Amino acid sequence: MMGKIVELNGLTKAYGDVKAVNNVSFTMNEQKIYGLLGRNGAGKTTIMQMITAQLFSTSGELKVFGENPYENNHVLSQICFIKESQKYPDVYRIIDVLNISASFFPNWDRDYALSLAEEFRLPLKRRMKKLSRGMLSSVGIIVGLASRAPLTIFDEPYLGLDAVARSLFYERLIEDYSLHPRTVVLSTHLIDEVSSILEHVMLIDSGTLILDEDAESLRGRAFTLAGPKAAVESFTAGKEVIHREPFGNLVTATVMGHWDAGERKRAEALGLECAPVSLQQLVIYLTNGKMQRKAAEMG
């Protein structure tokens, strides 16, 4: 039985009449890499702030390591939360941040942190307030990885990082995760880049959870068909179409549902081109397309 690391039950955070997080329930298990996905302002950061006890929920239940996280040192000492806009005291240098992290994180690996600092080319003696956006992000990534915290959360950790530094982060994450398994949460909009890393996906849209599924099963969840309008319409009748686009006298349609060989044969017989949909496309269709579908239903 896998241990439950995070349990949300009907979690809601309201500001007046606005529900930033609306009745969200999910479980995160130990030793898994989760993607917490969604557009900016969807409620992802609010959820992470409640899990890490930086915000109180308005209602609902929240357990982390089986306990309430608020003012609970036993729980908080097992969490590392890397925010995109982490603030540090002005006098701190990079080396000070790395040294002081040892007192926050029981599993801190100093040698590993220093070797990562070298790989990310960080000037250890430079003051935090003098760092570029990318260097600040690198420091956060190093703290997150070297903390080896049983629950490590990265909230958009790579502002200002170039593609080389981002792929270094992904490589080190996978490598260290396989040596020291823990629960990792990546909250990001760079879905294509992380889709091969994620083992489970949670998609938040306008404060509600619209997807909570293993990444593996999501990979075959939707297909795009292209062909003459009549053929596409005949094939998609009765199916859940999440996106449709006319293109001259052709139409492309994205359909939710698992495909078997029979379906594929039928599509080919109708002269339709078929292609799988990437996780990023799926998320875009589900978060944009939902609005379009609502409008269509109301229209």
Side-chain angles (χ1 to χ4, degrees):
M1 171 67 194
M2 289 293 265
K4 292 178 179 172
I5 301 297
V6 177
E7 297 168 82
L8 271 58
N9 203 339
L11 203 67
T12 296
K13 178 68 181 174
Y15 296 96
D17 293 341
V18 179
K19 287 183 174 163
V21 173
N22 188 4
N23 193 22
V24 169
S25 304
F26 64 67
T27 300
M28 289 178 170
N29 293 324
E30 62 188 0
Q31 304 181 7
K32 217 173 202 186
I33 298 180
Y34 288 88
L36 188 60
L37 310 177
R39 301 166 70 164
N40 287 341
K44 308 188 298 291
T45 300
T46 307
I47 289 173
M48 291 181 280
Q49 288 174 327
M50 289 190 281
I51 291 172
T52 55
Q54 295 175 11
L55 269 185
F56 280 107
S57 59
T58 306
S59 60
E61 240 190 333
L62 164 66
K63 281 188 177 157
V64 185
F65 298 104
E67 299 176 33
N68 184 332
Y70 293 101
E71 295 182 356
N72 183 336
N73 208 26
H74 170 242
V75 168
L76 297 178
S77 66
Q78 301 184 70
I79 300 176
C80 179
F81 180 28
I82 300 299
K83 304 197 280 283
E84 57 168 325
S85 54
Q86 189 69 51
K87 295 277 179 280
Y88 301 93
D90 276 354
V91 296
Y92 275 32
R93 301 164 302 165
I94 294 179
I95 190 71
D96 301 321
V97 171
L98 299 184
N99 286 339
I100 207 157
S101 294
S103 58
F104 291 126
F105 306 111
N107 302 338
W108 181 255
D109 185 330
R110 184 168 189 267
D111 292 342
Y112 182 50
L114 291 173
S115 82
L116 286 171
E118 203 167 298
E119 285 195 281
F120 280 96
R121 302 183 178 170
L122 291 180
L124 292 177
K125 298 278 161 62
R126 191 171 300 173
R127 294 195 188 280
M128 299 300 289
K129 65 174 180 185
K130 296 257 164 69
L131 297 187
S132 68
R133 190 56 269 194
M135 281 182 178
L136 272 175
S137 291
S138 300
V139 173
I141 282 170
I142 291 167
V143 171
L145 291 174
S147 74
R148 302 227 170 101
L151 173 59
T152 302
I153 302 175
F154 293 98
D155 184 7
E156 297 284 3
Y158 14 61
L159 286 183
L161 286 187
D162 58 25
V164 176
R166 290 201 306 270
S167 70
L168 177 60
F169 167 46
Y170 304 138
E171 277 168 33
R172 292 297 164 265
L173 173 62
I174 297 272
E175 197 177 82
D176 204 61
Y177 169 77
S178 56
L179 294 169
H180 305 271
R182 54 229 198 234
T183 301
V184 176
V185 180
L186 278 175
S187 173
T188 178
H189 63 275
L190 300 174
I191 300 168
D192 273 345
E193 288 192 2
V194 299
S195 63
S196 62
I197 300 176
L198 303 178
E199 298 175 276
H200 195 98
V201 170
M202 279 141 178
L203 177 58
I204 307 286
D205 193 44
S206 308
T208 56
L209 181 69
I210 62 170
L211 202 59
D212 177 3
E213 213 168 312
D214 263 5
E216 208 35 65
S217 67
L218 274 178
R219 290 196 177 105
R221 269 298 291 284
F223 284 81
T224 296
L225 304 159
K229 190 175 175 201
V232 171
E233 282 182 354
S234 142
F235 188 85
T236 56
K239 292 186 166 59
E240 187 189 350
V241 177
I242 57 172
H243 186 76
R244 182 191 298 270
E245 217 168 295
F247 189 73
N249 30 1
L250 298 177
V251 172
T252 64
T254 301
V255 182
M256 285 292 274
H258 289 283
W259 276 47
D260 55 26
E263 289 274 32
R264 197 159 292 189
K265 277 211 176 80
R266 217 187 113 209
E268 281 166 10
L270 285 166
L272 298 174
E273 300 263 324
C274 306
V277 173
S278 73
L279 183 59
Q280 172 126 347
Q281 282 310 127
L282 182 61
V283 166
I284 290 169
Y285 291 153
L286 288 175
T287 51
N288 286 343
K290 235 182 56 199
M291 298 309 153
Q292 291 165 2
R293 288 205 301 277
K294 274 195 184 136
E297 283 160 17
M298 290 165 79

